[in-house]
């Protein structure tokens, strides 16, 4: 058995939480406030990358920083309450703890808003690290010595691989199972309801 303590990282949006209803409302509020058209229904189909990447589709380059700041400011008002826990999310975190491990959240989202989501939904993480996307997620994964990273986007797969962690992908976000496998995911699950059984098998193999 390895002496390495188990630490599992999780992405947030469309991995642990379905944030689409609230994000849709936040985009609509920003659109109404600025008078700039934003197709909120389209925007929520491509969650994962940093907010600024989405805002570039709707605002001139010289407005992106200000619009990002304003979006994050109004986000708690519109986006926290409507969000839902993804099926199996709480059980996945509990499964890590049942194996004596730590569950951390590593997300591209503004860290204070990520913490608000988790608190509202009663999902307790041992650490929450925000503002990291794709390969940059490896910074936090290495710092916390995570051996597994669970996410729904090809960017999450790249982050795990950059960190030298096992990439467990869930096909619950904008990337389907084939895309996730092509990106190099070590394991692709339909959703987090399959994660506890996967973790049991992973832990048993590790002990062996």
């Amino acid at each position: 058995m390895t002496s390495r303590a188990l630490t599992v990282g999780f992405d947030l949006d469309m991995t642990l939480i379905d944030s689409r209803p609230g994000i849709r409302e936040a985009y609509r509020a920003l659109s109404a406030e600025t008078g700039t058209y934003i197709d909120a229904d389209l925007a929520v189909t491509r969650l994962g990358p940093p907010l600024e990447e989405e805002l570039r589709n709707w605002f001139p380059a010289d407005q992106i920083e200000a619009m990002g700041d304003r979006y994050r400011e109004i986000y708690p008002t519109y986006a926290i309450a409507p969000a839902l826990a993804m099926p199996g999310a709480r059980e996945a975190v509990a499964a890590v703890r049942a194996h004596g491990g730590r569950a951390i959240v590593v997300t591209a989202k503004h860290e204070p808003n990520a913490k608000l989501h988790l608190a509202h939904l009663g999902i307790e993480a041992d650490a929450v690290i925000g503002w990291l996307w794709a390969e940059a997620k490896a910074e936090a994964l290495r710092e916390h010595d995570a051996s597994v990273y669970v996410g729904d986007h090809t960017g999450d797969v790249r982050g795990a691989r950059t960190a030298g962690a096992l990439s467990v992908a869930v096909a619950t976000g904008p990337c389907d199972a084939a895309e996730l496998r092509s990106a190099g995911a070590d394991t692709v699950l339909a959703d987090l309801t399959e994660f506890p059984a996967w973790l049991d098998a992973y832990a048993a193999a590790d002990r062996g």
Side-chain angles (χ1 to χ4, degrees), residues 29-105:
L30 185 65
S31 178
E33 181 179 298
T34 61
T36 298
Y37 174 72
I38 300 173
D39 187 337
D41 290 323
L42 175 60
V44 298
T45 67
R46 45 195 187 198
L47 299 181
L51 170 65
E52 285 73 15
E53 291 192 20
E54 183 60 45
L55 293 178
R56 289 189 186 98
N57 295 304
W58 315 107
F59 293 96
D62 61 354
Q63 295 182 24
I64 299 303
E65 184 176 354
M67 291 301 102
D69 289 344
R70 181 56 182 155
Y71 173 92
R72 294 182 181 102
E73 185 178 1
I74 66 175
Y75 188 95
T77 300
Y78 295 96
I80 302 301
L84 303 168
M86 294 293 284
R90 293 184 181 90
E91 293 82 357
V93 172
V96 176
R97 301 256 168 74
H99 282 280
R102 299 173 70 248
I104 66 171
V105 173

Side-chain angles (χ1 to χ4, degrees), residues 11-28 40-41 43-49 51 71 75-87 89 107-110 113-118 120-121 123 152 172-174:
D11 176 50
L12 185 66
D13 293 306
M14 303 313 299
T15 299
L16 286 175
I17 70 168
D18 183 352
S19 51
R20 292 173 298 183
I23 288 177
R24 184 182 291 111
E25 292 310 307
Y27 276 128
R28 286 174 177 166
D41 290 323
V44 298
T45 67
R46 45 195 187 198
L47 299 181
L51 170 65
Y71 173 92
Y75 188 95
T77 300
Y78 295 96
I80 302 301
L84 303 168
M86 294 293 284
T107 174
K109 190 180 289 297
H110 183 47
N113 289 339
K115 290 178 177 177
L116 287 175
H117 272 302
L118 294 167
H120 178 75
L121 293 170
I123 299 173
D152 65 282
T172 49

Side-chain angles (χ1 to χ4, degrees), residues 122-163:
I123 299 173
E124 296 184 13
D126 292 288
V128 180
I129 306 96
W131 292 97
L132 296 176
W133 162 241
E135 287 83 356
K137 291 189 174 191
E139 299 170 18
L141 296 174
R142 288 196 191 106
E143 179 184 348
H144 290 270
D145 198 25
S147 55
V148 177
Y149 185 59
V150 186
D152 65 282
H153 198 284
T154 55
D156 299 322
V157 176
R158 300 201 308 272
R161 294 181 69 84
T162 301

